[in-house]
Amino acid sequence: MQSFDAVIIGAGAAGLFCAAQAGQRGLRVLLIDHAGRVAEKVRISGGGRANFTNRDLDPAAPQRHYLSSNPKFCRSALAGFTPSDFVALLNRHGIAWYEKHKGQLFCDDSAEQLINMLLAECAAAPTHGGLVERWQPCRVQRVKFQDQSALNTSPQGARSYVIYSDQGVIQAPALVVATGGLSIPKIGASDWGLRLARQFGLKVTDTHPGLVPLTFDVTAWAPYAQLAGLALPVEISTGDKKNRMQFHEDLLFTHRGLSGPAVLQISSYWQPGTSIAINLIPGVDVHTELQAAKARSRKLIANELATWLPARLANAWAGLDSTWQRPINEASDKALSKLAEALQRWQLTPTGTEGYKKAEVTVGGVDTRGLSSQTMEALAQPGLYFIGEVIDVTGWLGGYNFQWAWASAAACAQALAERSRTLRT
Ligand code: FDA
């Protein structure tokens, strides 16, 4: 049986970074992934350029950009490893990057550079007295915790994980689960990490797809289906007064419903059966503007709407109600009020989402109340760690999910090194 200081399951963003950081702290690490290639999600992220972090992450309240049933859990790790820390690493590797908008940082060239950087960081472990070995593709069949502390004078050293894989049996005092979320199963996502958490008595919160397009009833959507491909900036919200979430972002019409950054953001907060509200003309008092136009213009309402909306949407919108299909000076005040209300408080109830096939993330995961926020170790299961998206910490769109992967991995690697030092002394 081979032994390592730590075994990490999942060679994605968090797993690779944790392996590199632990290896460079002198640990002998084995990284296992069932997929043929590392970090497939990094590869396809940000349109192939990886939106690898976000500069707007609030240093005073980093949890503001994350969803979790235990919102403050992520604060310690995010404060310990910041976007600037990751940028410094990129700079050391000479990887050029740029800021798109709202603090979102992307690689100039390709996400592949980021993956190569993570692999190079792993390969640098031997110069620090460590090692990162990678077994891929390799399936883990089962994991057993062996506790012989009652028979041993060194109780910590007598506890280990035995991992049965299709490339052999491995033993290690620490096991790190970095198997990610449930989205895009065709590139390797699995619920293995959640099942392992349950095996060791940890709770798992309800999971659902996040950062995902919303879908609508086919008949109800028919008048809007012709708008597929059209995008515009909107204000979007969901939730009751107490829990209201609102975003100013771009909306994209699709054949089956709505997408674009505005909808992806709100989808993580949307509860099935509830509605979302969209202001298609944010920052304008449409009611007052329509009344003013009525007094001075004889244009068709659709043409007036085209002042603020793309012409295709203006036409389709005016076509929704017979009282809006006329010159504006002939429209009743009531019809114009109804139009302003419909444009600025468009209420819709999605029937669902495009699901894990199209979602960027999973909302929910391993319940953080069972984990240490400093180390990511299970409180009731020594040596078992969870990092990255498998945990119930979900970031907003815009690089926040990768930042969580890096930060939770860094916190865990530091803890692994301290644990290993304790075991050696
Ligand atoms: P990640 O998914 O990266 O890695 C998990 C690894 O575990 C995979 O390699 C998988 O094969 C492996 N694995 C799973 N089950 C296993 C098992 N049973 N045995 C062995 N290995 C197993 N975020 C962001 O911040 N900016 C962005 O631009 C984007 N863009 C983006 C686009 C798309 C299309 C998607 C789907 C997602 C994004 N994301 C994103 C989200 C981001 O990719 C995600 O949050 C991180 O990759 C999570 O990192 P993890 O390491 O936790 O999981």
Side-chain angles (χ1 to χ4, degrees):
M1 181 157 36
Q2 290 200 58
S3 61
F4 290 84
D5 296 321
V7 174
I8 302 176
I9 314 292
L16 276 171
F17 194 53
C18 186
Q21 294 269 304
Q24 292 186 20
R25 287 170 186 271
L27 268 67
R28 295 179 64 258
V29 180
L30 173 65
L31 190 52
I32 295 181
D33 201 298
H34 65 172
R37 300 205 293 178
V38 296
E40 285 288 23
K41 281 193 189 164
V42 177
R43 195 166 278 111
I44 60 169
S45 67
R49 288 207 166 127
N51 177 193
F52 54 82
T53 192
N54 195 301
R55 269 195 165 152
D56 286 355
L57 196 114
D58 184 350
Q63 74 276 10
R64 202 164 68 76
H65 293 101
Y66 293 84
L67 293 86
S68 172
S69 47
N70 181 16
K72 290 190 177 160
F73 173 84
C74 58
R75 203 165 56 179
S76 164
L78 288 166
F81 188 86
T82 65
S84 313
D85 292 325
F86 197 73
V87 166
L89 182 62
L90 250 78
N91 290 345
R92 277 203 297 281
H93 283 259
I95 298 175
W97 50 270
Y98 69 100
E99 182 167 340
K100 198 170 172 187
H101 81 149
K102 297 192 174 180
Q104 300 169 4
L105 305 190
F106 287 75
C107 295
D108 263 3
D109 193 7
S110 144
E112 206 69 48
Q113 292 179 295
L114 195 59
I115 298 172
N116 290 338
M117 177 191 87
L118 294 169
L119 291 172
E121 285 287 303
C122 288
T127 55
H128 303 268
L131 167 87
V132 177
E133 191 167 317
R134 190 153 47 86
W135 292 1
Q136 216 177 347
C138 175
R139 249 171 38 83
V140 175
Q141 286 130 6
R142 69 193 170 93
V143 173
K144 201 174 81 183
F145 180 59
Q146 204 164 262
D147 186 354
Q148 292 175 329
S149 50
L151 315 169
N152 202 300
T153 47
S154 155
Q156 286 224 50
R159 294 185 180 127
S160 65
Y161 291 86
V162 183
I163 295 130
Y164 298 84
S165 83
D166 59 12
Q167 289 191 30
V169 185
I170 319 115
Q171 188 173 23
L175 175 65
V176 182
V177 179
T179 46
L182 304 171
S183 64
I184 329 263
K186 73 168 188 234
I187 57 166
S190 82
D191 67 349
W192 188 88
L194 303 180
R195 283 189 281 118
L196 190 92
R198 290 193 188 99
Q199 177 190 328
F200 285 102
L202 280 96
K203 291 201 171 105
V204 173
T205 65
D206 287 344
T207 49
H208 63 88
L211 301 180
V212 64
L214 295 172
T215 55
F216 296 86
D217 174 73
V218 178
T219 319
W221 196 250
Y224 310 105
Q226 53 170 315
L227 296 170
L230 190 141
L232 74 163
V234 302
E235 194 176 273
I236 191 164
S237 58
T238 194
D240 55 27
K241 263 192 191 145
K242 218 173 120 208
N243 302 300
R244 196 153 199 80
M245 274 314 293
Q246 183 171 297
F247 293 94
H248 289 255
E249 284 282 6
D250 280 0
L251 174 84
L252 173 70
F253 285 84
T254 71
H255 289 289
R256 284 160 50 90
L258 292 171
S259 186
V263 168
L264 299 186
Q265 293 282 39
I266 216 71
S267 72
S268 297
Y269 291 90
W270 173 71
Q271 298 291 325
T274 66
S275 64
I276 57 170
I278 299 174
N279 181 351
L280 290 166
I281 312 180
V284 175
D285 180 348
V286 175
H287 184 264
T288 306
E289 293 291 337
L290 288 176
Q291 290 300 331
K294 179 179 170 175
R296 70 168 143 71
S297 164
R298 292 177 181 187
K299 279 192 207 164
L300 283 173
I301 289 177
N303 292 344
E304 285 296 338
L305 292 183
T307 316
W308 309 293
L309 295 175
R312 197 147 66 97
L313 177 57
N315 279 324
W317 204 267
L320 293 173
D321 190 311
S322 58
T323 65
W324 302 336
Q325 292 162 27
R326 60 191 63 183
I328 195 159
N329 59 322
E330 292 172 18
S332 69
D333 288 351
K334 196 172 153 209
L336 292 183
S337 292
K338 191 174 156 199
L339 175 59
E341 175 80 6
L343 284 164
Q344 298 212 279
R345 225 172 304 174
W346 185 23
Q347 294 273 351
L348 305 112
T349 303
T351 46
T353 74
E354 293 277 5
Y356 287 118
K357 240 172 33 193
K358 293 272 172 72
E360 283 198 11
V361 289
T362 300
V363 179
V366 176
D367 193 331
T368 56
R369 282 163 286 228
L371 303 176
S372 154
S373 63
Q374 316 283 316
T375 64
M376 307 294 131
E377 187 179 13
L379 297 172
Q381 182 60 44
L384 179 63
Y385 299 78
F386 292 83
I387 56 172
E389 204 186 310
V390 73
I391 302 180
D392 172 28
V393 172
T394 309
W396 285 11
L397 188 77
Y400 294 101
N401 284 295
F402 280 142
Q403 187 57 36
W404 171 244
W406 319 134
S408 57
C412 175
Q414 188 179 341
L416 290 174
E418 276 158 24
R419 175 185 199 83
S420 180
R421 244 192 320 272
T422 318
L423 289 180
R424 279 176 199 162
T425 52

